Amino acid sequence: MTELFVNLAPVLRGAVRVPGDKSASHRAVLISAMADGESTIEGLSTGDDVQRTLSIVEALGASISTLDGKLSILGPHEGLVAATHPLDCGNSGTAMRLLAGVLTGVPGTHELVGDESLMKRPMGRVIDPLRSMGAEISGAANDLPPVAIVGGSTLAGIDYQVPTPSAQVKSAVLFAGLKAVGTTTVHEAIRTRKTTENMLTEALVSVTSKDEGVGRVVSLQPGRPMPRHWHIPGDPSQAAFFAVLGLIHPNASIGVVKLLDEDERTGYIGVLQRMGGLISQKVKDAHPALQIRSSRLLATEIFAAEIPSVDEVPVLTIAAAAATGVTSFRDMSELRIKESDRFAGSMMLASSVGCEVWSEGDDFFVRGLGSATNFVHFAVDGGLDHRIVMAAAVAATAGRGGVIANWETVESSYPQFFDDLSSIQ
Ligand code: S3P
């Protein structure tokens, strides 16, 4: 186990360009591999999660090459074929769940495995709807990985209400629907990221999407995606680390540029503004960019529905730790089944910097210290969770420094995170 010593930074200035959006990157790779012909991708996420998806589609018969910094994926004319070995998704739940949907349409036997963290994550949420479409798919005990699939059976489109908001589940069903007979419809009670439906539409698949109140209905007709050129903008969830850092740091004026434009991904900005954060979003070079300045934050009440997927909660916990008053995090059950138990992990982070924290059912509470300058120097273990490591690094840089064990897990989504953090100091 290696430890990283993160020091407090006296001043933060400059702008960061975060890696390509992870969700869009997985989808660009998968859609290109399913297409007939050559697609190119610019701005692909550099993290190990997306590299796994790339290696897996190569094992399934797609040809990958790089020319002039552009990645090319050639989807085989006859379609993807089964690999001769288990498909290792590493740390990536997105890879495993999306591939489950894709592989139901690929003839042959497939097995999806992952690292120690992923092997503990629930797959029943994708197995159930895919099975009701006619797929031969099963998990181990309690529907944990490995996931075994016999692809190529006749699938029928379904009308599916996703029980818990999840873009991964929606996407697995839609990808399976590409090879099903008839229409596949997915209802979400709360809108999640629309990356899959947008990108399938760009690949000329027939998809309709209609917002209903705070929910959405997406319908898809079977078809094969067309190859295309993908340009992937920056990941708004990675920008959240710099947003919180700039706000809670006593002497900061920083930017994050070239971000993906999607309402479902920027709920955290509204939360931070409500806390009094001086954070603004402008269009610069045709993409959203954030400008962030040191702020005095006040506690608030944060609902999971405001930030579907709750990816930004670990770092929002650090904002709460620097705020004045008690911040409530409500309906946070989904946090428990991410790359680690982020419910426990987020509370652990706030407690490590010196806050009083407590929980009631699916809610947890953080009594803020009024300023990051009141944080204590701390030591934490990032476990197998990149977002816990990056949130801890934000706390250390804005507060009194800290030590992070198992920090290397940032490789899964943002290998250059610590370089980018140094670049603004
Ligand atoms: C993702 C969906 C979310 C999110 C994950 C990426 C996606 O998961 O947490 O980081 O790309 O579809 P859920 O679908 O479990 O909410």
Side-chain angles (χ1 to χ4, degrees):
M1 183 167 77
T2 53
E3 291 180 328
L4 184 71
F5 291 75
V6 181
N7 295 321
L8 72 106
V11 183
L12 298 176
R13 292 285 182 275
V16 175
R17 187 157 174 199
V18 293
D21 185 58
K22 185 157 70 78
S23 296
S25 295
H26 282 293
R27 281 134 174 110
V29 171
L30 292 171
I31 295 172
S32 302
M34 286 188 280
D36 178 5
E38 188 186 16
S39 297
T40 55
I41 309 179
E42 269 179 283
L44 193 76
S45 161
T46 46
D48 184 64
D49 281 11
V50 172
Q51 297 309 308
R52 298 284 174 153
T53 298
L54 203 54
S55 304
I56 288 173
V57 300
E58 195 169 27
L60 295 169
S63 305
I64 316 284
S65 58
T66 312
L67 188 65
D68 296 336
K70 246 189 236 165
L71 183 79
S72 147
I73 300 187
L74 185 64
H77 177 61
E78 291 77 19
L80 297 171
V81 291
T84 48
H85 54 81
L87 304 169
D88 188 353
C89 300
N91 192 247
S92 177
T94 306
M96 188 172 280
R97 296 198 178 117
L98 269 52
L99 274 158
V102 171
L103 292 173
T104 56
V106 178
T109 308
H110 316 282
E111 189 183 25
L112 292 166
V113 297
D115 71 3
E116 202 188 317
S117 144
L118 183 53
M119 294 304 275
K120 293 187 200 132
R121 297 183 66 188
M123 293 298 143
R125 49 182 59 200
V126 289
I127 292 175
D128 292 345
L130 293 174
R131 211 179 259 157
S132 68
M133 297 176 82
E136 270 186 64
I137 178 167
S138 58
N142 298 321
D143 281 338
L144 293 178
V147 178
I149 302 166
V150 183
S153 47
T154 308
L155 303 177
I158 47 168
D159 196 287
Y160 189 63
Q161 173 80 47
V162 185
T164 307
S166 165
Q168 293 174 353
V169 174
K170 168 174 68 179
S171 305
V173 172
L174 293 175
F175 282 146
L178 290 171
K179 292 247 181 116
V181 177
T183 308
T184 296
T185 302
V186 180
H187 302 258
E188 359 187 52
I190 292 170
R191 289 195 277 280
T192 65
R193 65 194 71 195
K194 48 183 177 275
T195 327
T196 298
E197 45 269 50
N198 281 354
M199 294 178 76
L200 283 174
T201 303
E202 285 179 51
L204 303 184
V205 173
S206 167
V207 184
T208 59
S209 165
K210 193 164 165 270
D211 291 352
E212 284 185 349
V214 291
R216 175 176 293 142
V217 184
V218 183
S219 282
L220 166 139
Q221 300 303 323
R224 190 165 185 187
M226 296 293 287
R228 56 164 289 120
H229 173 65
W230 305 105
H231 178 83
I232 307 203
D235 192 323
S237 302
Q238 307 291 24
F241 295 100
F242 294 98
V244 172
L245 175 63
L247 295 179
I248 67 169
H249 189 280
N251 187 352
S253 176
I254 58 174
V256 190
V257 297
K258 292 213 183 236
L259 293 171
L260 177 85
D261 189 4
E262 206 182 307
D263 292 348
E264 288 77 10
R265 301 291 299 281
T266 49
Y268 72 87
I269 296 173
V271 169
L272 291 170
Q273 285 170 335
R274 193 164 80 221
M275 294 176 84
L278 301 171
I279 171 168
S280 59
Q281 210 178 352
K282 289 203 182 77
V283 176
K284 210 174 150 200
D285 303 328
H287 287 285
L290 299 180
Q291 194 55 46
I292 305 132
R293 277 186 291 137
S294 306
S295 309
R296 294 200 70 83
L297 299 183
L298 297 174
T300 188
E301 186 171 25
I302 304 172
F303 291 88
E306 299 182 79
I307 30 172
S309 298
V310 294
D311 285 346
E312 296 81 19
V313 169
V315 78
L316 285 175
T317 309
I318 303 303
T324 300
V326 175
T327 294
S328 326
F329 292 84
R330 305 276 186 197
D331 311 326
M332 296 289 163
S333 58
E334 277 292 296
L335 277 181
R336 295 195 172 94
I337 51 168
K338 295 289 181 180
E339 285 83 331
S340 69
D341 177 351
R342 288 185 185 155
F343 193 101
S346 298
M347 289 180 72
M348 175 277 289
L349 285 175
S351 162
S352 301
V353 299
C355 295
E356 184 191 348
V357 295
W358 64 101
S359 65
E360 283 166 23
D362 291 335
D363 303 339
F364 70 93
F365 306 88
V366 176
R367 188 182 302 283
L369 299 170
S371 165
T373 54
N374 296 328
F375 288 2
V376 295
H377 184 273
F378 64 89
V380 293
D381 188 341
L384 280 174
D385 196 328
H386 54 130
R387 295 198 204 276
I388 295 294
V389 172
M390 291 187 278
V394 166
T397 308
R400 298 277 163 205
V403 185
I404 309 172
N406 283 315
W407 58 278
E408 297 91 339
T409 185
V410 291
E411 287 287 327
S412 68
S413 73
Y414 196 165
Q416 61 276 49
F417 174 74
F418 285 102
D419 293 336
D420 287 351
L421 190 57
S422 302
S423 77
I424 51 172
Q425 296 183 22

